[in-house]
């Protein structure tokens, strides 16, 4: 099937449609040849062939019975023939982790001869209960402690004295479902906590 996408927001609808039919040929056609896609656990695919291969594998396994539904919540024209859009989605029927998830998919789409195609995709899980802490000093915008300072990552002495956040059980289950070993998970968690 040759897909004609006549406006940017139709790219998200076509994405969900191909996903729900588990048709990875139609799914791949949505992307430019040199597209980039970063998934919810940070895997980065750097062309259409890699994107197709990865999704074909997961749709043969953990996503084979999944259903993706959502709405386009924003469309921004970046320049003529280039736009970004946010697609707020809910996934049900996945075999792991948890069977259902919610997230936001950012798509940057470009108008090509064959219609609008996805150049960049960034998918992000919405983690229930994750809320940014309120500012510590509303009047001055200054942080009270070294651990609250926005440049904490640039100062190793302050960073070493700050408490580490625990790795969420949801993230652990996600890694386990894609075959990461415990040592790989620990190394990744240490990088995230820096």
């Amino acid at each position: 099937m040759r897909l004609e996408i006549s406006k940017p927001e139709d790219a998200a609808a076509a994405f969900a449609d191909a996903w729900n039919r588990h048709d990875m040929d139609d799914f791949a056609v949505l992307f430019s040849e040199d597209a980039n896609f970063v998934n919810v656990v940070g895997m980065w695919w750097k062309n259409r062939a890699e994107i197709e291969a990865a999704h074909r594998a997961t749709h043969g396994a953990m996503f084979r019975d999944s259903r993706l539904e959502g709405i386009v919540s924003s469309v921004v024209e970046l320049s003529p023939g280039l736009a970004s859009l946010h697609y707020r989605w809910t996934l049900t029927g996945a075999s792991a982790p948890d069977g259902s998830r919610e997230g936001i998919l950012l798509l940057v789409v470009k108008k090509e001869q064959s219609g609008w195609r996805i150049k960049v995709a960034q998918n992000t899980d919405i983690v229930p209960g994750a809320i940014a802490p309120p500012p510590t000093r509303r009047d001055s915008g200054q942080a009270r402690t070294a651990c609250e300072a926005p440049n904490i990552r640039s100062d190793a002495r302050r960073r070493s004295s700050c408490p580490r956040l625990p790795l969420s059980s949801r993230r652990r289950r996600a890694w386990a479902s894609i075959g990461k070993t415990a040592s790989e998970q620990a190394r990744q968690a240490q990088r995230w906590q820096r």
Side-chain angles (χ1 to χ4, degrees), residues 103-164:
I104 300 169
L105 175 65
L106 169 64
L107 299 176
V108 176
V109 294
K110 182 178 181 187
K111 190 166 190 172
E112 298 181 355
Q113 286 182 336
S114 57
W116 289 88
R117 293 292 178 252
I118 301 167
K119 288 287 284 182
V120 176
Q122 174 82 40
N123 209 356
T124 305
D125 267 346
I126 295 172
V127 179
I131 299 172
T136 55
R137 286 192 181 166
R138 296 185 197 281
D139 55 333
S140 68
Q142 297 291 321
R144 277 191 294 194
T145 69
C147 294
E148 296 167 339
N151 63 351
I152 187 67
R153 293 170 194 232
S154 64
D155 188 330
R157 288 176 309 226
R158 282 188 289 168
R159 184 176 62 229
S160 64
S161 65
C162 296
R164 301 234 181 229

Side-chain angles (χ1 to χ4, degrees), residues 26-182:
D26 279 0
F27 187 82
V29 170
L30 298 171
F31 293 86
S32 295
E33 194 64 43
D34 61 347
N36 276 248
F37 191 118
V38 177
N39 78 352
V40 296
V41 293
M43 293 180 176
W44 186 358
W45 304 298
K46 298 181 181 176
N47 59 53
R48 181 191 293 162
E50 288 182 6
I51 294 165
E52 179 182 4
H55 284 84
R56 191 174 297 281
T58 57
H59 279 262
M62 69 185 283
F63 295 133
R64 75 177 159 268
D65 298 319
S66 67
R67 179 145 186 87
L68 184 66
E69 295 181 10
I71 59 167
V72 174
S73 56
S74 78
V75 179
V76 177
E77 183 179 5
L78 302 172
S79 65
L82 188 67
S84 69
L85 59 109
H86 287 93
Y87 180 71
R88 172 83 189 254
W89 54 263
T90 301
L91 179 74
T92 56
S95 60
D98 299 335
S100 71
R101 301 187 340 232
E102 291 183 54
I104 300 169
L105 175 65
L106 169 64
L107 299 176
V108 176
V109 294
K110 182 178 181 187
K111 190 166 190 172
E112 298 181 355
Q113 286 182 336
S114 57
W116 289 88
R117 293 292 178 252
I118 301 167
K119 288 287 284 182
V120 176
Q122 174 82 40
N123 209 356
T124 305
D125 267 346
I126 295 172
V127 179
I131 299 172
T136 55
R137 286 192 181 166
R138 296 185 197 281
D139 55 333
S140 68
Q142 297 291 321
R144 277 191 294 194
T145 69
C147 294
E148 296 167 339
N151 63 351
I152 187 67
R153 293 170 194 232
S154 64
D155 188 330
R157 288 176 309 226
R158 282 188 289 168
R159 184 176 62 229
S160 64
S161 65
C162 296
R164 301 234 181 229
L165 298 174
L167 181 62
S168 76
S169 61
R170 183 180 186 137
R171 188 66 65 190
R172 278 194 298 275
R173 287 192 304 272
W175 276 332
S177 72
I178 59 171
K180 288 225 179 215
T181 65

